[in-house]
Amino acid sequence: MPARIRFSPARAAVLLVAAAAVAAISAAEPATGAAPAPAPVPGPPAVPPAALLPAEAIPGHPAARDVFDVATALSTADRSDGTGCDDVVHGRLLNPGAATGQGFQTAVPGGQLSELVARTPHPPDLTAWTAQARRCGQVTLDDQGLPAVSTTTVTAAPAVPGAQTLSYQQVLTLPGQPAEVPGLRLRTVAVAAGDVLVLLRDAGTTGLDLDTLAVTAWQHAAPRLGR
């Protein structure tokens, strides 16, 4: 019987944070005698932690969460798989640049759940992103020195009035892994309107209704961000 391939919880956590992260860009110091640098362009308004889903809205009410700020989260900007599918296989909906946001990840029965609420002047076009996800249905990538196969399936996204939505599932396996041996399953649902993005992702066999939970997350976050 083939051995079961296991992805450690620590690696799953890195994948979840990396997928929700953007790069922080720092301003360079002007050289002595150089013309003054132009005044910085104000970034998007801050996202209050209250915009995140409260624990009681998540089935099982998980109390312990690992909360992070987008500005200090792990950057994935330097990762490339050479296929043109980098954003899809790494789940990177936010481009590097000015963005504010809050996120969390928490253990739930069967796996992990993460949420990201962000504001950015460069919001993702979820319709174009969906089309790209379909084109990148199966890609072999090098994830932290370990080759893996990313298989992406676009699913019907929930309807949210006045917003774009995205829903897809990704399974990460090892090259040549037998079909009967499960890989790491990641499911993503996102809602975007204006400069606001709400993203939910679960990993493992959580059994969560992520579509409904994402709509709930949007309905919770949107009024707190003026949407």
Side-chain angles (χ1 to χ4, degrees):
M1 186 176 202
R4 179 166 182 168
I5 306 298
R6 296 183 181 275
F7 290 86
S8 70
R11 184 181 173 203
V14 169
L15 284 165
L16 289 169
V17 175
V22 294
I25 299 177
S26 59
E29 292 292 334
T32 303
V41 177
V47 173
L52 293 171
L53 272 173
E56 56 268 23
I58 302 171
H61 301 182
R65 331 193 198 204
D66 180 11
V67 179
F68 60 89
D69 185 276
V70 166
T72 57
L74 177 66
S75 168
T76 61
D78 58 346
R79 298 172 69 188
S80 175
D81 55 37
T83 65
C85 293
D86 303 54
D87 288 347
V88 172
V89 299
H90 295 305
R92 187 171 54 220
L93 271 78
L94 283 177
N95 293 318
T100 60
Q102 298 289 326
F104 74 81
Q105 56 189 33
T106 186
V108 293
Q112 290 181 313
L113 172 72
S114 67
E115 181 191 11
L116 171 71
V117 179
R119 301 191 84 141
T120 172
H122 308 293
D125 181 341
L126 298 188
T127 301
W129 219 95
T130 298
Q132 179 69 355
R134 288 195 176 100
R135 288 192 294 271
C136 299
Q138 190 166 88
V139 177
T140 300
L141 65 146
D142 185 12
D143 184 24
Q144 299 181 2
L146 178 67
V149 177
S150 166
T151 302
T152 301
T153 305
V154 175
T155 53
V160 176
Q164 290 186 325
T165 56
L166 163 73
S167 179
Y168 71 97
Q169 176 173 287
Q170 181 185 32
V171 178
L172 296 175
T173 57
L174 300 179
Q177 182 171 324
E180 65 272 15
V181 180
L184 173 65
R185 186 199 66 90
L186 295 154
R187 175 127 153 71
T188 300
V189 181
V191 184
D195 65 346
V196 177
L197 169 72
V198 173
L199 180 149
L200 262 72
R201 177 169 289 128
D202 71 346
T205 55
T206 66
L208 292 172
D209 182 347
L210 207 61
D211 287 346
T212 298
L213 201 56
V215 173
T216 300
W218 175 262
Q219 292 171 341
H220 177 82
R224 289 163 175 78
L225 301 176
R227 295 299 310 173

